[in-house]
């Protein structure tokens, strides 16, 4: 999604989530999306962040909807290219 929107990605440092190593595929996208508020890590049953992302887990419809809406708010609707004439 970030690549499709031509969003510059952060250099992955491996500090945001303990299960996302900087050398993993798409680590830069995961770190950037988390920094922008598009994704969150997993939470325990009490709603407390676990500092895990679980990058191999599938995403559900609600998670995808949140990413799309947040991406539109951040990168499209407020950009000059998206404004009506």
């Amino acid at each position: 999604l970030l690549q499709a929107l031509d969003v510059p990605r952060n250099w992955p440092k491996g500090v945001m989530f303990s299960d996302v190593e900087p050398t993993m595929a798409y680590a830069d996208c995961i770190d950037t999306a988390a920094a922008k508020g598009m994704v969150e890590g997993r939470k325990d049953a009490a709603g407390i962040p676990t500092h895990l992302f679980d990058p191999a887990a599938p995403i559900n419809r609600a998670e995808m909807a949140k990413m799309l809406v947040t991406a539109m708010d951040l990168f499209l609707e407020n950009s000059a290219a998206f404004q009506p004439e």
Side-chain angles (χ1 to χ4, degrees):
L1 182 59
L2 295 174
Q3 187 174 10
L5 295 173
D6 201 25
V7 175
R9 271 123 25 226
N10 298 342
W11 190 265
K13 296 177 181 67
V15 297
M16 194 153 296
F17 301 109
S18 60
D19 60 346
V20 178
E21 299 290 327
T23 57
M24 290 175 60
Y26 308 111
D28 58 336
C29 294
I30 294 169
D31 279 6
T32 302
K36 301 283 186 188
M38 290 175 58
V39 298
E40 298 176 351
R42 301 292 179 194
K43 295 179 181 174
D44 65 13
I48 299 171
T50 62
H51 302 288
L52 297 172
F53 185 75
D54 198 7
I59 62 172
N60 63 38
R61 214 174 359 188
E63 292 167 333
M64 188 65 196
K66 180 192 178 215
M67 287 190 298
L68 290 170
V69 168
T70 304
M72 287 176 58
D73 288 344
L74 289 171
F75 308 116
L76 290 178
E77 291 183 351
N78 296 323
S79 71
F82 196 71
Q83 297 300 318
E85 295 183 37

